[in-house]
Amino acid sequence: MRTKTFRPYDQDSLLLMPPSLYDWVDPDGLAAFLSDLVDELDLAPFLAAHDEPRGMPPYHPRLMLKVLLYGYATGVRSSRRIEARLGADIDFMFLAGQARPDHKTIAEFRRRHLAAFEGLFLTALRLCQAAGLAKLGRVAIDGTKLKANASRHKAMSYGRMAEREAALAAEVRAILDEADAVDTAEDARYGDARGDELPEELRRRETRIARIRAAKAALEREARERTGDPDAVPESKAQRNFTDPDSRIMLSKPDGWIYGYNAQIAVDDGHQVIVATSLSADATDTAALPDLVDAIETNTGRRPGKLLADAGYVSEDNLAHLEERGIDAYVATRRDRHSAKAPTAPRGRIPAGLSRRERMGRKLTTKRGRAEYRRRKVIVEPVFGQTKEARGFRRFHLRGRAKVTAEWHLVCAIHNLAKLFRSGQAGGVVGRNRASRLVSQPAGG
């Protein structure tokens, strides 16, 4: 019987490494694309944050940005996971030039450059425009709830805060009374000798009281601002999270009730490029529409020809905002019911005296109106699917609305760069020494 011959296998064999790691990566792959892109970007906003000449030389922002972008693009966002990949993944090793920044350095880079991420989103959008991927003939808007970096177990209602504040205050008084009694006895025994610092138990309780009082004050301030009543008091069930106080409790499918943020996007019909984005702690979508619509024009230099939105955005003020800007809008006036039949289009002239909402309702019952509105789902909803499923982004890593907004801009920039990469137009827009003329191109150019 003949013995099967196998290929040679020797884990101790010497390997002649190529002269450059670039020879080991796919020249048409995502890592090479992002490397070429960052090499051509104007990094002045990133460099400006390093204005301290003293201390150890930091890693170059070009290196760190490449690694961070590739991490977010491939679902590797944890600074510790990125650190691990820098020693095990050839694409990460190539992007870092085999440097090994640790997770603290990576996390600090992300925090230090939050202000530059909005500019990065605009740069990515303008590259997409230059490649013909965002033409603004039809734009759809939508929002999704994303988890905050906050524990559901580290939250408390306003009513519970009052109870805990009183209970903790009583505990602190008891500890102080006990300490005072001990001090009196020790003074009699030891005279003026120096005592120890405040007991650890007392410090913990006083810290908790301070956090509860700060959270109560914030809820009370919000109640006054919301109602305009200087004596307004929050509802007993009003919640505040101690981990990320800016987050709010929201209903998110399929996760149920979460502490999170409401992320908004406006997406172009042609290639699902995000043309505007925003983020709020408001559980409803209505208030987001005006700023989102105006941001489209600010970012791209143009207004969309048509705009599609679900019933979460309908209001007389929002419809007036779209009408004043000459945008052909298709905004649902009621929630979709899968079992309900589409209403029949009314015949004859539009009656006088109808509200904007009523006129919009009639518009969406026409054959053209129904056809236009059906495009909404296939334009905007897949973008959230790509973000949450393909890239695994379901929860923010940073805390506080300002930082979370910056992280959301980074996520949206990554989405647009991925669209550019997969469009087949990337080679004509981004390449070695070829992208600079486009990066600096004005919006709408």
Side-chain angles (χ1 to χ4, degrees), residues 326-338:
I327 297 173
D328 185 15
Y330 298 83
V331 182
T333 58
R334 59 187 180 88
R335 298 290 181 183
D336 290 333
R337 294 180 181 177
H338 298 293

Side-chain angles (χ1 to χ4, degrees), residues 33-72:
F33 165 73
L34 290 175
S35 181
D36 289 347
L37 170 73
V38 175
D39 282 343
E40 301 299 338
L41 290 181
D42 179 4
L43 296 184
F46 292 90
L47 296 171
H50 297 277
D51 56 359
E52 175 55 62
R54 295 172 297 180
M56 290 291 291
Y59 289 99
H60 199 286
R62 198 176 303 281
L63 178 163
M64 300 298 294
L65 185 58
K66 289 180 183 182
V67 168
L68 193 64
L69 288 178
Y70 189 68
Y72 270 76

Side-chain angles (χ1 to χ4, degrees), residues 157-169:
S157 68
Y158 182 77
R160 179 62 175 159
M161 286 178 192
E163 296 174 5
R164 286 300 297 148
E165 181 184 9
L168 287 170

Side-chain angles (χ1 to χ4, degrees), residues 91 153 197 231 234 239 282 288 298 327 346 348 376 410 415 419:
D91 286 328
H153 305 293
E197 63 181 356
D231 298 321
Q239 295 273 338
D282 191 343
T298 300
I327 297 173
R376 186 195 68 83
L410 175 60
H415 172 85
K419 288 296 179 182

Side-chain angles (χ1 to χ4, degrees), residues 256-285:
W257 294 99
I258 64 169
Y259 277 94
Y261 292 92
N262 190 349
Q264 300 282 325
I265 54 173
V267 180
D268 185 76
D269 186 16
H271 292 81
Q272 295 179 334
V273 169
I274 299 173
V275 293
T277 183
S278 65
L279 184 136
S280 75
D282 191 343
T284 62
D285 295 330

Side-chain angles (χ1 to χ4, degrees), residues 282-302:
D282 191 343
T284 62
D285 295 330
T286 312
L289 185 142
D291 290 342
L292 203 58
V293 169
D294 292 346
I296 296 173
E297 184 174 6
T298 300
N299 294 346
T300 67
R302 295 171 54 192

